[in-house]
Amino acid sequence: HPLLRPWADQVRRRLRDVDWRLLSDLVPVPTISIAGFTCTPPSTSLPDLELELATMRGAADRVRADLDEIPRPRTKRVQALYDDPDEGLERLAEEVRAYWRAAMAPYWPKIRSLLEGEILHRARLLAESGLQRMLADLDDAVTWEDGTLSIRHRYASGERSLRGQGLLLVPCVFASPRVFSITTPPYQPTVRYPPRGIATLWERRETEPPQALAAVLGRTRARLLAELDQPASTRALAQRTGLSEPGANQHLTALRRAGLCTAHRTGRYVLYARTATAEALLSGGGYFDETPTPRSNSR
């Protein structure tokens, strides 16, 4: 997909010496279905690679049933996994780890920041406007009506009652441009969808705040506000702006005290987000005018 092409172009050379043939067989591009054990729903909002690999290795009892549901011929490597799930999953875990180091690790801080910002955005919409508003712009393929969530799939159909299990929403950069759903027991019902802002992940950008705002707040604090078009951590903002982390934290604290940003803890990280007041200031909002207003001499 065009949104992912810059990333693909950058990592292609790094993957030349990486053996990920089994992973490629299991997750071909393009694909209409993926075996459930390769993408089990996360058990925490901040899973790490080793936790995810441990979960996958623990799904040996699901391998054959999941592969039986995939409507495509098995390669020799996938058949070997089918015949010996325990050994096959160990090999798959090693391939995923090697692939991660080459293709994902260099980009993970930016990806994680984007995903955490997306989760915060959805949580805010849910709290302020309710479930229907939160789901309304999730994706064009997703609609919510009369208590039913509908997802348009080109090659699949069916329905499942949640019966109190809940629904897990998982933003996934590499799902773009499709929405993937997991509805087959015993997995937690899950919808993986492309988050907002994927195109910005691969860009080198300079975000310039309005001059009038910079004149009032100072260029550094105005720049930090401009960078918060997506919620971000102190580390991410420091990397983007060239500030030290303590320096960025000091400015963010001042902005928070002024009511221009909020701080939300997510696991070990604190994400900062612009307030409505900051949005108005950055968009103009009638607060600043570059042209002085003539004064009347009448009293």
Side-chain angles (χ1 to χ4, degrees), residues 59-278:
D61 60 333
R62 289 293 311 166
V63 167
R64 289 172 179 161
D66 287 352
L67 289 176
D68 283 339
E69 295 178 1
I70 303 300
R72 58 175 174 264
R74 296 183 197 130
T75 65
K76 291 182 179 180
R77 287 177 289 270
V78 174
Q79 185 61 48
L81 169 64
Y82 188 94
D83 294 338
D84 189 342
D86 289 306
E87 182 177 341
L89 287 178
E90 287 297 330
R91 173 181 174 177
L92 180 60
E94 288 303 315
E95 288 194 10
V96 170
R97 188 179 287 110
Y99 185 95
W100 164 270
R101 290 170 182 161
M104 299 293 295
Y107 305 96
W108 182 240
K110 292 181 70 175
I111 293 174
R112 182 180 61 197
S113 180
L114 180 75
L115 297 178
E116 290 173 344
E118 172 68 17
I119 292 170
L120 180 59
H121 170 71
R122 295 293 160 190
R124 178 186 289 178
L125 279 179
L126 180 62
E128 294 178 352
S129 305
L131 183 62
Q132 186 163 359
R133 175 68 182 87
M134 188 271 286
L135 294 172
D137 65 345
L138 198 67
D139 190 88
D140 291 342
V142 178
T143 56
W144 171 264
E145 186 175 0
D146 297 330
T148 299
L149 184 71
S150 300
I151 305 172
R152 295 193 307 274
H153 287 300
R154 184 180 301 177
Y155 301 104
S157 62
E159 61 181 50
R160 179 177 176 183
S161 174
L162 297 181
R163 297 179 181 177
Q165 285 185 286
L167 179 69
L168 191 62
L169 298 179
V170 181
C172 180
V173 167
F174 297 95
S176 182
R178 297 180 179 175
V179 172
F180 289 87
S181 58
I182 300 175
T183 58
T184 305
Y187 300 115
Q188 167 76 34
T190 301
V191 174
R192 297 180 187 269
Y193 68 95
R196 305 164 307 132
I198 293 175
T200 66
L201 286 172
W202 330 117
E203 298 175 347
R204 295 182 63 87
R205 61 176 189 166
E206 290 289 334
T207 305
E208 291 296 328
Q211 291 183 0
L213 184 59
V216 174
L217 295 180
R219 182 175 179 79
T220 299
R221 291 177 183 175
R223 169 76 186 282
L224 285 169
L225 276 186
E227 289 285 350
L228 285 174
D229 54 342
Q230 297 278 350
S233 65
T234 303
R235 174 175 294 182
L237 291 167
Q239 291 173 343
R240 293 181 203 168
T241 58
L243 295 169
S244 66
E245 286 190 42
N249 186 63
Q250 183 178 6
H251 289 299
L252 289 166
T253 299
L255 291 170
R256 181 172 56 82
R257 289 174 177 170
L260 297 178
C261 72
T262 56
H264 305 267
R265 179 166 292 279
T266 305
R268 294 174 296 169
Y269 303 95
V270 175
L271 293 181
Y272 291 88
R274 291 195 300 235
T275 63
T277 301

